[in-house]
Amino acid sequence: MAIGKMVHSVKLQQPSRSADTGGGAVVTFSDVATMFASIKPQGGSEVLFGDQLEGRETYIIKIRFRQNVTNKFRVLYAFTTGGANYSRTFNITRVENVGERNRYLNLYCTEGVAI
């Protein structure tokens, strides 16, 4: 893939758990790296969840190879259009080392689904 096709600046985020005062756990995400990526939509679907229709959109996000990226991570894409700030969160469902050559990773992601 030509580097010129990676036009989206994204943040790779890693989860961490900490105890809350009620004895439970709180999951927070911290930035691991900021990098350029290509984001390609793959399709979408709707499922019935809790008596509500929930939309799911799938994407392939291609980044340069990094060690230790797992499906517990997520990708944050924040951008500005027309003076307004937007952000999109992609939950990683699968990580593929393209061609097993340690050059690129395909991150198969969903958007619109709580983790």
Side-chain angles (χ1 to χ4, degrees):
M1 165 176 268
I3 194 69
K5 294 188 180 207
M6 294 185 175
V7 296
H8 305 290
S9 179
V10 299
K11 291 182 181 178
L12 188 62
Q13 297 184 322
Q14 180 178 18
S16 61
R17 290 183 176 270
S18 59
D20 65 5
T21 57
V26 176
V27 177
T28 57
F29 285 88
S30 57
D31 294 345
V32 173
T34 301
M35 62 194 70
F36 284 96
S38 72
I39 302 173
K40 292 186 178 182
Q42 293 299 301
S45 65
E46 293 178 338
V47 295
L48 194 60
F49 182 77
D51 293 334
Q52 290 183 341
L53 203 55
E54 179 182 87
R56 296 181 186 210
E57 300 170 28
T58 58
Y59 294 86
I60 296 178
I61 298 176
K62 184 172 273 198
I63 61 172
R64 288 196 176 271
F65 180 81
R66 292 186 60 88
Q67 291 285 344
N68 303 323
V69 176
T70 70
N71 61 350
K72 297 193 184 309
F73 286 50
R74 73 179 186 184
V75 176
L76 179 66
Y77 174 45
F79 58 97
T80 302
T81 300
N85 295 325
Y86 299 95
S87 67
R88 298 172 67 187
T89 304
F90 299 94
N91 299 314
I92 300 173
T93 57
R94 184 167 62 102
V95 178
E96 175 190 24
N97 183 355
V98 179
E100 296 298 323
R101 297 186 62 205
N102 295 345
R103 294 187 66 194
Y104 297 103
L105 292 177
N106 279 341
L107 308 176
Y108 294 85
C109 302
T110 56
E111 182 183 33
V113 180
I115 58 169

